[in-house]
């Protein structure tokens, strides 16, 4: 039977701590590398084959998950709160965390969470940013309206009025936000059309398998 190596990653913004263990729990390698695609590529060339890797779900997990997935036998992401409940310890640092994640993966104790496909995650990110821009645009317009109300209520009818010199820069900023929102909406519409083929393929595969297709990662 081929020996599988289990890797635990403790991911941060600038660094990634790793621990490589074999099936018996013996440490094959451990250390720390910069959190860049170039360094990950160099690090993967030194790994024994085959290997499976796990990491905790953080804001930095998505791109690392996508980068490692084509090269690993499996890439798993652990639920942060459940992982802390299982692997709670008084001593805590990056090296120890990487070891505990590797042990959880090796012993099949890892509280795995669902990772959506890359296309779906990108769409969610676009929608969150669009929602943020819409909220900020409304807040800015309400703030400008309040400033105009303080000057003279009689001429505050719309945002296309001839405002005072102090308010004009704010109005221009509001117009820029509105144009940005329109570009986001257009990009979302284009992305939504491109997603139809992807979702149709998922639906067709589900129908052909007679149920829900197995989810990876």
């Amino acid at each position: 039977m081929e020996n599988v190596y289990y890797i635990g990653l403790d991911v941060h913004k600038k660094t990634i701590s790793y621990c490589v263990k074999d099936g018996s729990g013996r440490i094959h390698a451990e250390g720390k590398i910069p959190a860049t695609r170039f360094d990950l590529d160099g690090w993967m060339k030194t790994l024994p084959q085959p290997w499976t890797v796990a990491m905790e779900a953080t804001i930095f997990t998505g791109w690392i998950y996508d980068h490692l997935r084509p090269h690993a036998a499996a890439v798993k992401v652990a639920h942060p709160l459940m992982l802390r409940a299982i692997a709670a310890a008084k001593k805590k640092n990056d090296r120890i965390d990487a070891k505990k994640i590797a042990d959880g993966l090796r012993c099949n104790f890892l509280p795995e969470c669902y990772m959506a496909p890359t296309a779906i995650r990108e769409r969610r990110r676009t929608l969150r940013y669009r929602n943020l821009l819409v909220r900020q645009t409304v807040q800015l317009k309400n703030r400008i309206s309040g400033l105009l109300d303080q000057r003279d209520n009689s001429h505050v009818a719309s945002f296309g009025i001839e405002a005072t010199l102090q308010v004009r820069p704010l109005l221009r900023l509001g117009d820029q936000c509105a144009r940005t929102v329109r570009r986001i909406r257009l990009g979302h519409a284009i992305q939504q059309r491109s997603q139809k083929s992807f979702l149709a393929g998922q639906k067709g595969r589900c129908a052909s398998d007679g149920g829900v297709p197995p989810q990876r990662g």
Side-chain angles (χ1 to χ4, degrees), residues 187-208:
H188 170 61
I190 296 174
Q191 190 178 32
Q192 191 174 25
R193 287 194 295 268
S194 66
Q195 290 294 326
K196 286 183 179 180
S197 59
F198 171 78
L199 296 176
Q202 291 286 90
K203 184 177 179 181
R205 188 173 11 146
C206 178
S208 63

Side-chain angles (χ1 to χ4, degrees), residues 51-63:
W51 52 275
T52 179
V53 63
M55 68 195 85
E56 185 179 355
T58 67
I59 192 174
F60 316 111
T61 299
W63 73 267

